[in-house]
């Protein structure tokens, strides 16, 4: 997890600097592919723990009617899970989105899974670490003790660091999988066509909304948001300061809230066809789009849609955007959080200046 930026930029630099679609820096692209082959695609990979489970919904139940798929935990050293590793599903999904079928399949269980399937499985694994705690928020660290029998695989999740520090990695991966698995056309339309939506699109938005609600429930304070000392303790409910970490990292606003906002924003706003997000969530335009007319899928198109005058999925402006089933998805609460945080910081900064000027 400590070298995550290196692996991200092998891919993202190649994508950002391409002069036209699929005209990438082959050296970087090849290196990234080799990393995938030698780590995640090896038959006895020490970077993935694969467990077969029924897909869970965002409420925590397991439906018998849902299709089964692998739950995959991104790990290091054979069994160590860190929240930081939850950026991996998004990175792998982005590669598959930009270069489909460039790495055809893996041999992880001898079944030739696509990278996209592996990315979905890893996102599911990260979601399990959230969905099995009392607060619904994921621990900083755990050990994945996987066992395999002739009939099935299972695992035990042993939490080794129960803190939650408002990290963005899981939300970032939800955003990338949600956007990359929606087949958005380049002809200025097709965003609302149900045939273009991935079956899991609504599932991703439900997970993101679930995490946002739990952050609001357990991490919100009178002056901002705090991390938690223990994700299995509900003592931070209400105004009590028990179980709280007296810190709100800058990445919470810059990344966690930004990705939450973009998940519920109109899908043509900052599309993955036009932008690459850095490890700090700064959107960079892909070079080949700079001279293109019409600004399809860019900031201007998204802004028009957010204003309620475009042709995107926004309904009545940015207060709502459509989910995969055409229902309204809540974006206003995320905007309110961002706005309130900016106002609070401006107020505290002004008060501090006034106090200093009186001395």
């Amino acid at each position: 997890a400590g070298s995550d930026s290196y692996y991200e930029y092998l891919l993202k630099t190649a994508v950002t600097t391409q002069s036209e679609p699929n005209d990438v820096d082959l050296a970087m692209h090849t290196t990234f592919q080799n990393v995938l082959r030698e780590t995640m695609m090896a038959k006895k990979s020490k970077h993935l723990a694969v467990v077969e489970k029924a897909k869970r919904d965002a409420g925590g139940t397991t439906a018998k009617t849902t299709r089964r798929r692998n739950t995959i935990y991104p790990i290091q050293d054979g069994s160590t899970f860190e929240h930081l590793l939850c950026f991996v599903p998004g990175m792998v999904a982005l590669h598959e989105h930009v270069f489909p079928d460039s790495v055809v399949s893996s041999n992880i269980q001898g079944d030739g899974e696509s990278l996209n399937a592996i990315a979905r499985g890893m996102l599911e694994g990260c979601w399990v670490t959230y969905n099995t705690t009392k607060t619904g928020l994921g621990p900083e660290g755990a050990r994945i003790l996987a066992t395999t029998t002739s009939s099935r695989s299972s695992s035990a999740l042993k939490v080794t660091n129960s803190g939650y520090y408002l990290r963005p990695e899981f939300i970032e991966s939800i955003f990338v999988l949600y956007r990359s698995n929606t087949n958005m056309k380049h002809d200025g339309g097709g965003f609302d066509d149900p045939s273009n939506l991935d079956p899991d699109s609504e599932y991703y938005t439900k997970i993101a909304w679930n995490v946002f609600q739990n952050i609001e429930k357990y991490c919100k304070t009178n002056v901002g948001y705090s991390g938690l000392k223990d994700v299995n303790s509900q003592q931070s409910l209400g105004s009590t300061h028990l179980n709280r970490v007296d810190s709100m990292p800058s990445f919470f606003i810059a990344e966690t809230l930004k990705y939450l906002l973009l998940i519920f924003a109109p899908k043509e706003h900052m599309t993955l066809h036009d932008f690459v997000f850095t490890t700090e969530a700064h959107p960079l335009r892909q070079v080949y789009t700079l001279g293109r007319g019409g600004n399809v899928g860019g900031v201007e198109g998204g802004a028009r849609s957010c204003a309620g005058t475009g042709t995107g999925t926004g309904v009545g402006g940015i207060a709502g955007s459509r989910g995969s089933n055409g229902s309204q998805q809540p974006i206003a609460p995320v905007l309110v959080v961002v706005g309130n945080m900016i106002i609070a910081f401006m107020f505290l900064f002004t008060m501090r200046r006034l106090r200093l000027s009186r001395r």
Side-chain angles (χ1 to χ4, degrees):
S3 56
D4 55 338
S5 296
Y6 169 72
Y7 296 107
E8 279 195 81
Y9 282 127
L10 281 175
L11 170 64
K12 291 182 176 180
T13 302
V15 175
T16 305
T17 58
Q18 57 186 341
S19 57
E20 59 185 58
N22 300 320
D23 180 22
V24 301
D25 185 318
L26 291 179
M28 285 190 171
H29 186 219
T30 301
T31 302
F32 184 79
Q33 284 184 309
N34 289 338
V35 169
L36 293 183
R37 286 194 180 96
E38 294 170 8
T39 57
M40 298 175 193
M41 296 170 62
K43 199 163 188 176
K44 295 183 179 179
S45 173
K46 293 184 178 180
H47 297 274
L48 298 175
V50 183
V51 182
E52 184 74 18
K53 284 186 178 180
K55 186 177 78 171
R56 297 172 182 269
D57 67 19
T61 61
T62 302
K64 294 181 180 179
T65 56
T66 56
R67 61 186 174 83
R68 297 181 66 84
R69 66 172 167 187
N70 286 334
T71 296
I72 305 174
Y73 297 96
I75 57 175
Q76 57 187 14
D77 302 325
S79 63
T80 304
F81 168 85
E82 294 181 9
H83 189 286
L84 291 168
L85 290 171
C86 286
F87 85 95
V88 178
M91 179 182 67
V92 174
L94 179 63
H95 181 276
E96 185 78 350
H97 173 68
V98 179
F99 312 111
D101 302 322
S102 58
V103 181
V104 178
S105 64
S106 76
N107 295 318
I108 193 165
Q109 286 189 318
D111 52 8
E113 285 187 292
S114 69
L115 284 178
N116 199 36
I118 292 177
R120 294 180 191 215
M122 284 192 287
L123 189 76
E124 188 76 7
C126 290
W127 170 233
V128 169
T129 68
Y130 273 67
N131 201 31
T132 53
T133 67
K134 292 182 179 180
T135 59
L137 298 170
E140 181 72 3
R143 290 186 70 82
I144 310 298
L145 307 176
T147 59
T148 303
T149 66
S150 58
S151 58
R152 61 178 297 232
S153 298
S154 62
S155 71
L157 184 70
K158 183 179 180 181
V159 175
T160 56
N161 184 341
S162 60
Y164 173 72
Y165 305 121
L166 304 170
R167 293 197 186 278
E169 289 79 17
F170 180 51
I171 299 297
E172 176 186 0
S173 286
I174 295 174
F175 165 72
V176 176
L177 268 92
Y178 174 59
R179 288 292 188 88
S180 64
N181 286 287
T182 301
N183 297 320
M184 295 179 289
K185 299 177 180 178
H186 287 276
D187 57 5
F191 291 91
D192 287 325
D193 184 350
S195 65
N196 288 337
L197 296 176
D198 180 81
D200 280 341
S201 291
E202 185 178 3
Y203 179 61
Y204 297 139
T205 57
K206 282 184 176 180
I207 292 177
W209 183 241
N210 185 285
V211 174
F212 175 70
Q213 287 182 309
N214 289 330
I215 291 173
E216 285 284 289
K217 184 176 181 179
Y218 294 105
C219 301
K220 189 173 184 177
T221 72
N222 294 330
V223 294
Y225 289 77
S226 71
L228 302 178
K229 296 177 182 178
D230 185 358
V231 291
N232 283 311
S233 170
Q234 297 178 316
Q235 289 183 315
S236 61
L237 278 171
S239 59
T240 177
H241 294 292
L242 295 174
N243 195 39
R244 294 192 183 278
V245 176
D246 187 17
S247 173
M248 189 184 77
S250 60
F251 56 67
F252 174 64
I253 298 177
E255 299 182 63
T256 308
L257 290 182
K258 182 186 293 182
Y259 284 123
L260 279 167
L261 178 64
L262 288 172
I263 288 170
F264 297 107
K267 296 184 185 70
E268 67 269 37
H269 187 61
M270 292 191 178
T271 74
L272 298 180
H273 294 293
D274 298 282
F275 290 90
V276 173
F277 289 84
T278 69
T279 58
E280 309 304 328
H282 302 304
L284 300 179
R285 263 200 174 280
Q286 295 183 39
V287 171
Y288 81 89
T289 69
L290 294 177
R292 188 179 64 195
N295 198 25
V296 178
V299 174
E300 293 176 13
R304 287 195 299 272
S305 176
C306 291
T309 59
T311 58
T313 59
V315 178
I318 200 165
S321 60
R322 294 190 186 276
S324 63
N325 61 351
S327 62
Q328 291 292 308
Q329 290 291 348
I331 185 175
V334 184
L335 280 176
V336 169
V337 169
V338 176
N340 286 342
M341 292 306 305
I342 294 173
I343 293 171
F345 276 120
M346 292 177 64
F347 175 77
L348 292 173
F349 178 76
T350 302
M351 294 299 295
R352 181 178 176 82
R353 292 295 298 270
L354 288 173
R355 289 173 184 168
L356 291 174
S357 66
R358 291 175 181 174
R359 293 179 180 178

